[in-house]
Amino acid sequence: MYQAPRGTQDILPDEQPYWNYVKSNARQVAHLYGYGAIETPIFEDTQLFLRSVGETSDIVQKEMYTFLDKGENSLTLRPEGTAPIGRAYLEHGLSNQPQPVKLYTIGPFFRYDRPQAGRYRELHQFSYEAIGEIDPALDAEIIAMSWDYLTRLGLRELSIQLNSIGCPICRPHYVEALREYYRGKVAELCLDCQTRLERNPLRLLDCKNRACNAVAESAPRSIDYLGEECSGHFQRLEELLHSLAIPYQINNRLVRGLDYYTKTVFEVYSTETGSQSSLGGGGRYDGLIEQLGGRPTPAVGFAAGLERTILNLKKQGITPPSRPGVVAFVASLGDGTEVAVSRLVAQLRAADIAALQSFGRRSLKSQLKHAHASGARFTLILGPDELATGRVVLRDMEKSTQEAVDQSTVVELLLKGVRGPTPNP
Ligand code: HAM
């Protein structure tokens, strides 16, 4: 027997209401904020991610699904959505449109991560990016949008954590201070962090190892090293978040795992005990578009994990609105009714009544059982007698009553039954 690959999952019909709820909420929020949909390929040139996400990041070092195609091109299943959207922005000359260009996408991403609750190898994100504007009001908009996306679903107990990690002008001073601080403490660090110290010192701050955590407690804070421009940007962002009544906490150890960030970084967590994983994260990436070959172009964005959104909906007992199910099940009694059954079902569907029919030869009992399991409100039973008289038996499954009615009146009766008081045939 084959199984879905480790870290992936089938999303069966029973789960779909959650996915529909989360995706339609994401689209609604994107619409409210004026973000247009974009879809980019599932795989991209590997170099795109090496140059943007960063050679020393966990994603590039350990998590990419990279392969050579038959033409010997190195391709990678997209591990994230920002670099592909940046690539599309440049490729299609979107810099010639009024800025910022605001785009969103909903879809699958791939990371060779260690699977556990809320962590998959095929994951889904609602990811949105605003490219071409430096104003901190845009950072505030992106944060407000993430808050709206989560709270409109009914989620509670959320916390936005915010930090600024500066820009290429002020960050080197901070990185030097960090190295200085850590140099005397190398022996206390885990092996990963010992190599991070030279290659990617910011990541020392968010290591989950207990000993590293303790050392990070007293590490220098990036906000104390911001230059005038970055500091002003952060101050203005804080003012805007206050004025929008968006709750947040400053987290001096929030650095994010992708290398393209500048200035603002933020993540949204659930504060409920036991769920420490982030529901989403984002920030500013003012250098990315230039790194990909464009003109210097500021940008900011966010991505929410859909699996984690759904996990939290379930934890908080929030049930999605379900779609109306099947209304009618057409059962057949005996030979010669097949054509009439198919025609009746087609007639119902043409009138927008969701309908199922029975296939093959089954006893009435077994067909009624099937009708019941399908959730149909009504069962229509057609036998040779009904065929001869142009009638059909209409059974109300909720009330367990039934009556023979004229076939020509069925659509009207069912529509009344669905929309208004139950028909009384
Ligand atoms: P990220 O923090 O790598 O950011 O991912 C965003 C969200 O995707 C995470 O907070 C989490 O909810 C979800 N996620 C990540 N990895 C997994 C996984 N293995 N299983 C399940 N869910 C996962 C980015 O991807 C950036 N592109 C976000 C961004 C957009 N920054 C600027 N614009």
Side-chain angles (χ1 to χ4, degrees):
M1 287 278 275
Y2 292 108
Q3 289 185 334
R6 195 162 130 73
T8 70
Q9 60 174 343
D10 299 311
I11 304 166
L12 298 176
D14 280 355
E15 283 291 302
Q16 294 291 342
Y18 283 99
W19 287 83
N20 290 336
Y21 181 45
V22 164
K23 286 182 185 174
S24 67
N25 177 62
R27 289 193 187 100
Q28 167 72 0
V29 169
H31 171 71
L32 286 175
Y33 283 78
Y35 285 64
I38 181 168
E39 289 183 27
T40 63
I42 296 292
F43 54 80
E44 297 269 359
D45 194 324
T46 301
Q47 282 299 325
L48 175 69
F49 300 113
L50 297 188
R51 294 189 71 165
S52 56
V53 175
E55 307 239 10
T56 59
S57 65
D58 283 353
I59 291 182
V60 168
Q61 295 238 312
K62 309 182 205 162
E63 297 173 3
M64 295 210 304
Y65 282 89
T66 297
F67 58 97
L68 284 182
D69 71 4
K70 292 191 195 307
E72 304 275 303
N73 306 299
S74 178
L75 299 171
T76 294
L77 297 187
R78 59 183 193 183
E80 64 100 46
T82 309
I85 289 180
R87 196 252 322 125
Y89 172 89
L90 286 173
E91 188 171 334
H92 303 288
L94 300 185
S95 57
N96 299 322
Q97 293 186 0
Q99 307 291 297
V101 171
K102 305 205 283 190
L103 301 165
Y104 80 93
T105 198
I106 300 173
F109 296 87
F110 305 87
R111 296 184 186 180
Y112 190 77
D113 220 331
R114 205 155 21 90
Q116 51 183 267
R119 197 190 281 166
Y120 294 89
R121 289 181 175 170
E122 183 187 33
L123 58 128
H124 295 77
Q125 287 184 347
F126 166 37
S127 168
Y128 45 93
E129 318 291 346
I131 306 178
E133 177 58 63
I134 188 75
D135 190 338
L138 191 58
D139 307 39
E141 176 175 287
I142 289 274
I143 295 175
M145 196 167 151
S146 67
W147 186 248
D148 252 359
Y149 159 74
L150 292 165
T151 53
R152 276 171 175 261
L153 289 168
L155 287 169
R156 306 168 301 271
E157 324 266 344
L158 301 170
S159 146
I160 298 177
Q161 311 223 340
L162 181 69
N163 196 13
S164 173
I165 54 169
C167 68
I169 298 168
C170 57
R171 197 185 304 156
H173 302 294
Y174 175 57
V175 168
E176 205 28 63
L178 257 190
R179 282 212 177 97
E180 189 62 28
Y181 169 80
Y182 272 101
R183 259 185 210 122
K185 302 181 168 59
V186 176
E188 298 166 51
L189 304 177
C190 71
L191 286 180
D192 268 354
C193 280
Q194 292 183 8
T195 54
R196 279 183 191 133
L197 183 55
E198 288 317 311
R199 303 179 64 159
N200 196 353
L202 286 189
R203 295 308 308 278
L204 290 162
L205 295 173
D206 68 355
C207 178
K208 303 283 180 291
N209 181 291
R210 203 189 294 172
C212 301
N213 214 348
V215 181
E217 288 279 325
S218 325
R221 311 179 318 166
S222 56
I223 45 172
D224 296 331
Y225 289 80
L226 298 180
E228 205 177 313
E229 213 249 315
C230 292
S231 164
H233 188 98
F234 195 56
Q235 239 174 38
R236 184 83 189 113
L237 171 59
E238 286 206 78
E239 282 164 19
L240 288 162
L241 292 176
H242 281 299
S243 74
L244 293 171
I246 302 215
Y248 68 91
Q249 280 118 34
I250 306 269
N251 177 350
N252 297 305
R253 289 172 50 191
L254 181 68
V255 291
R256 307 273 300 133
L258 303 97
D259 283 1
Y260 48 61
Y261 290 111
T262 52
K263 296 194 174 102
T264 313
V265 287
F266 75 105
E267 289 201 13
V268 189
Y269 292 89
S270 160
T271 53
E272 279 188 318
T273 42
S275 51
Q276 297 147 358
S277 57
S278 100
L279 283 159
R284 203 161 250 292
Y285 49 96
D286 293 342
L288 178 70
I289 298 295
E290 191 180 3
Q291 232 168 357
L292 297 181
R295 287 196 301 264
T297 309
V300 53
F302 176 79
L306 301 193
E307 285 83 358
R308 293 197 190 165
T309 309
I310 291 171
L311 199 72
N312 279 272
L313 285 175
K314 289 181 179 173
K315 262 192 198 157
Q316 297 191 5
I318 300 166
T319 47
S322 55
R323 281 208 183 156
V326 174
V327 175
F329 184 97
V330 183
S332 121
L333 277 186
D335 290 341
T337 56
E338 296 85 352
V339 172
V341 165
S342 293
R343 276 184 35 201
L344 183 52
V345 177
Q347 206 184 334
L348 296 174
R349 290 175 184 152
D352 284 338
I353 297 171
L356 292 180
Q357 77 175 82
S358 172
F359 297 105
R361 287 171 184 216
R362 295 203 168 79
S363 67
L364 181 61
K365 194 173 162 203
S366 137
Q367 293 184 66
L368 287 178
K369 216 168 133 190
H370 186 173
H372 201 74
S374 75
R377 171 73 204 282
F378 301 99
T379 299
L380 297 163
I381 306 166
L382 270 175
D385 290 353
E386 285 73 30
L387 271 191
T389 57
R391 292 169 80 78
V392 61
V393 173
L394 174 62
R395 184 177 172 85
D396 185 320
M397 303 294 280
E398 268 172 29
K399 299 185 175 158
S400 292
T401 55
Q402 65 179 47
E403 189 128 8
V405 299
D406 239 33
Q407 277 183 35
S408 60
T409 63
V410 165
V411 164
E412 199 188 329
L413 287 172
L414 290 198
L415 285 176
K416 268 196 209 150
V418 175
R419 292 193 194 125
T422 314
N424 192 9

